[in-house]
Amino acid sequence: KPRERPGRRVEGQAAPAPEPSTGCPAGAHASTQHRTLPYELYCLGAIFLLSLFATGHLFFRVAVTTTAEPWRRNCRQCTSQWWDDFWRWRMEDLAGNSTGVTAPPGMEWEWGSSGDDTDWFQASAELVDEVVLPAVDPTAGPILQVGCGVSPLPALLYRAGFREFENVDISKRVIDAMQLRYPADEWPGLRFEVRDLLADSQHRGGAPPPAHRFAAVIDKAGLWDWLQEESPAAIPQLLKVVTTALVPS
């Protein structure tokens, strides 16, 4: 048998096939693969992190909606936007600017026909004379009206002797209108504030702080009435807010 010598082809042995040329010096091709792999890993990692963030955000939104305040689901009157839409239509209607536009769905209620306010059933004066005054001493302390709307109740209560009187409503449109109607220099002690009474304190919800300082809380067939229709599950939350607002008996 012929002796093999290093570096020389032996007779009868097939010559090794030449390696395909890459056009690069020896070792360059392996080096390029080594550099490409981390880049692909970085891209995959970035896509994973973005997906993780989006999924976490989605789960957070779902948890807030379904766990924190499940009563708001399918409740059209449980948002400030719904009430802003309602009051825009109602105020334009009162001002004669509705041009025949009817109320949006779910907004066809019975309202008074006075030219400058909305007084449901025109019963504000009767409420003050027959319900509030017999039950509450005007000197007992501040009172709170929830869901004040734009009825004449603040003026009637003020003239009846209630000079520390706070009014809250979920609609900024309402509060802006009432602040213009009752300037602070002409109605001292009468205040108006945008609040979502049923939201948590982090979202400017609940009664105006501090707690346990109001002699009476007045709801003129507003929150209580529509919650019975739209979201009865939220009525305990309303009662909890009222209890927190009232001076302990």
Side-chain angles (χ1 to χ4, degrees):
K1 179 180 177 181
R3 181 178 297 176
E4 297 180 3
R5 295 181 181 177
R8 296 185 61 183
R9 182 169 62 88
V10 180
E11 291 275 344
Q13 181 180 357
E19 294 185 4
S21 175
T22 61
C24 300
H29 182 64
S31 177
T32 301
Q33 288 182 328
H34 182 71
R35 288 197 304 268
T36 303
L37 186 59
Y39 174 77
E40 293 174 347
L41 289 176
Y42 293 149
C43 291
L44 289 174
I47 293 173
F48 172 76
L49 290 176
L50 288 174
S51 301
L52 187 64
F53 174 79
T55 304
H57 180 70
L58 176 62
F59 274 106
F60 174 78
R61 292 290 300 272
V62 170
V64 168
T65 302
T66 60
T67 304
E69 295 180 318
W71 58 271
R72 288 190 191 269
R73 285 178 292 170
N74 303 319
C75 178
R76 60 189 175 191
Q77 297 180 24
C78 294
T79 65
S80 59
Q81 184 61 54
W82 192 95
W83 287 104
D84 279 338
D85 291 343
F86 168 77
W87 285 113
R88 182 176 64 250
W89 161 76
R90 179 58 184 167
M91 291 175 181
E92 290 177 356
D93 182 61
L94 286 172
N97 299 328
S98 61
T99 62
V101 176
T102 59
M107 300 185 182
E108 306 88 346
W109 293 339
E110 299 181 47
W111 299 92
S113 58
S114 57
D116 63 349
D117 58 63
T118 298
D119 189 7
W120 199 1
F121 301 127
Q122 298 185 349
S124 290
E126 182 180 355
L127 176 68
V128 173
D129 294 337
E130 299 187 16
V131 179
V132 179
L133 282 174
V136 185
D137 182 354
T139 64
I143 61 174
L144 171 67
Q145 182 185 192
V146 298
C148 64
V150 293
S151 82
L153 190 59
L156 294 171
L157 286 166
Y158 195 87
R159 291 167 181 150
F162 295 94
R163 299 306 171 89
E164 291 184 82
F165 186 14
E166 297 191 29
N167 304 266
V168 298
D169 199 282
I170 195 174
S171 171
K172 184 178 184 301
R173 186 181 298 272
V174 162
I175 297 302
D176 289 345
M178 295 299 269
Q179 288 175 337
L180 288 175
R181 184 181 299 177
Y182 299 100
D185 56 342
E186 298 178 17
W187 301 82
L190 190 58
R191 292 181 290 278
F192 297 89
E193 181 180 351
V194 178
R195 291 192 81 86
D196 183 350
L197 200 72
L198 299 177
D200 56 46
S201 58
Q202 293 181 347
H203 295 87
R204 200 173 176 76
H212 304 301
R213 66 185 180 93
F214 292 101
V217 176
I218 299 174
D219 177 13
K220 183 178 174 284
L223 275 171
W224 179 271
D225 189 72
W226 65 258
L227 278 179
Q228 292 185 84
E229 298 291 333
E230 292 284 337
S231 186
I235 290 179
Q237 174 66 11
L238 173 61
L239 295 177
K240 179 180 178 181
V241 171
V242 170
T243 302
T244 302
L246 289 171
V247 174
S249 58

